[in-house]
């Protein structure tokens, strides 16, 4: 009887030990699985981080021609003593209403025409001074802007007619070396009071020459691809 009990105890102990061993093996397997998943997630995070950094570097490289163009525009305006406001980030050139038009008028003043005769050849000359500049600038938009004084419809019409007056004078009454290639890049648009302050700010009455850069279009494509 005692011998039988001993045998039974030994059998129970053997089963217990085997169970412990099996449990340790299962735990080891689970740990291996968790480690594999963790390594995979770390690898994916690293991959997307590198992808993001690569995209940022590409964007920075695409900005180089744009900055060079803007720098040349600023330099030429200063060296030719053309008094305009140039946005150093976008290259936008703002010409105040008082230079080009009488208040409420769409007809260029004589001094406005004189200003365009000095400004446009220099401005256009920068665009076509180098092949890479010409390729970088996909479009030049002449935008008319008004203050918030008056109603929206009238302001929109006024801004469009003013930009059209500038366009017509440049291409129907002026002659300069780069007139033909500039005509293929330029268009007139009216913005009305869209970008104006809520109160009547005279500084909002202006005509803006705005570049559209090819690198900005490429940047949008890069961002879309990397997301």
């Amino acid at each position: 009887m005692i011998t039988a009990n001993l045998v039974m105890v030994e059998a129970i102990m053997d089963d217990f030990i085997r169970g412990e061993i099996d449990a340790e093996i299962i735990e080891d397997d689970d740990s291996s699985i968790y480690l594999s998943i963790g390594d995979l997630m770390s690898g994916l995070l690293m991959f997307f981080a590198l992808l993001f950094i690569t995209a940022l570097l590409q964007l920075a490289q695409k900005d180089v021609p744009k900055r060079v163009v803007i720098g040349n525009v600023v330099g030429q305006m200063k060296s030719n003593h053309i008094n305009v406001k140039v946005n150093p980030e976008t290259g936008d050139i703002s010409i105040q209403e008082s230079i080009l038009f009488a208040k409420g008028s769409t007809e260029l003043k004589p001094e406005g025409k004189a200003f365009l005769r000095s400004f446009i050849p220099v401005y256009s000359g920068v665009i076509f001074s180098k092949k890479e500049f010409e390729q970088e600038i996909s479009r030049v938009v002449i935008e008319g802007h008004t203050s918030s004084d008056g109603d929206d419809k009238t302001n929109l019409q006024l801004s469009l007619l003013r930009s059209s007056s500038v366009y017509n004078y440049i291409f129907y009454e002026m002659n300069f070396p780069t007139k033909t290639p500039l005509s293929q890049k330029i268009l007139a648009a009216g913005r009305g009071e869209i970008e104006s302050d809520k109160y009547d700010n005279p500084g909002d009455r202006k005509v803006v020459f705005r570049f559209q850069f090819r690198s900005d279009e490429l940047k949008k494509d890069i961002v879309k691809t990397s997301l």
Side-chain angles (χ1 to χ4, degrees), residues 145-161:
H145 293 257
T146 70
S147 71
S148 57
D149 186 31
D151 64 88
D152 294 352
K153 185 177 180 181
T154 301
N155 284 334
L156 185 60
Q157 184 178 29
L158 176 64
S159 66
L160 180 57
L161 289 174

Side-chain angles (χ1 to χ4, degrees), residues 90-110:
T90 64
D92 292 353
I93 292 182
S94 299
I95 306 166
Q96 291 305 305
E97 171 198 58
S98 58
I99 297 175
L100 300 175
F101 302 97
K103 186 176 180 180
S105 173
T106 61
E107 183 179 348
L108 282 165
K109 298 192 299 186

Side-chain angles (χ1 to χ4, degrees), residues 44 76 133 161:
L44 287 172
Q76 287 299 314
F133 291 2
L161 289 174

Side-chain angles (χ1 to χ4, degrees), residues 7-219:
V7 170
M8 186 180 295
V9 170
E10 288 177 358
I12 292 170
M13 291 297 295
D14 289 341
D15 291 340
F16 177 77
I17 292 169
R18 280 197 295 270
E20 288 292 315
I21 293 171
D22 291 341
E24 289 178 3
I25 292 171
I26 292 170
E27 287 179 1
D28 289 341
D29 290 342
D30 288 344
S31 298
S32 299
I33 293 170
Y34 293 144
L35 285 173
S36 298
I37 294 173
D39 290 342
L40 178 62
M41 293 301 293
S42 297
L44 287 172
L45 287 172
M46 182 68 72
F47 171 76
F48 284 115
L50 290 172
L51 190 64
F52 180 70
I53 292 170
T54 301
L56 288 178
L57 290 173
Q58 288 178 321
L59 293 178
Q61 290 173 346
K62 296 298 180 185
D63 263 346
V64 171
K66 174 180 173 180
R67 290 197 298 269
V68 174
V69 170
I70 295 172
N72 274 263
V73 169
V74 172
Q76 287 299 314
M77 294 298 113
K78 288 181 178 179
S79 62
N80 286 275
H81 307 291
I82 300 173
N83 187 22
V84 290
K85 182 180 178 181
V86 185
N87 185 315
E89 298 297 324
T90 64
D92 292 353
I93 292 182
S94 299
I95 306 166
Q96 291 305 305
E97 171 198 58
S98 58
I99 297 175
L100 300 175
F101 302 97
K103 186 176 180 180
S105 173
T106 61
E107 183 179 348
L108 282 165
K109 298 192 299 186
E111 25 305 29
K113 293 178 180 180
F115 172 83
L116 290 173
R117 287 195 299 271
S118 64
F119 165 69
I120 289 297
V122 176
Y123 181 74
S124 182
V126 173
I127 298 171
F128 300 101
S129 61
K130 294 183 180 181
K131 193 68 178 177
E132 55 265 36
F133 291 2
E134 181 181 352
Q135 292 173 345
E136 172 61 16
I137 299 168
S138 58
R139 182 73 65 187
V140 178
V141 185
I142 306 172
E143 293 182 348
H145 293 257
T146 70
S147 71
S148 57
D149 186 31
D151 64 88
D152 294 352
K153 185 177 180 181
T154 301
N155 284 334
L156 185 60
Q157 184 178 29
L158 176 64
S159 66
L160 180 57
L161 289 174
R162 282 182 166 179
S163 64
S164 296
S165 292
V166 172
Y167 178 95
N168 290 335
Y169 183 74
I170 293 170
F171 294 106
Y172 293 103
E173 299 187 48
M174 284 180 60
N175 285 303
F176 51 97
T178 54
K179 179 177 177 178
T180 298
L182 181 63
S183 68
Q184 297 170 0
K185 286 184 178 290
I186 206 164
L187 59 84
R191 298 284 288 171
E193 59 184 78
I194 292 174
E195 297 182 13
S196 66
D197 294 327
K198 292 182 180 179
Y199 61 93
D200 181 21
N201 182 358
D204 290 330
R205 302 188 193 112
K206 60 193 174 186
V207 171
V208 176
F209 280 75
R210 177 164 290 167
F211 288 137
Q212 290 181 357
F213 292 101
R214 199 170 304 279
S215 59
D216 288 339
E217 298 166 5
L218 293 173
K219 278 162 62 177

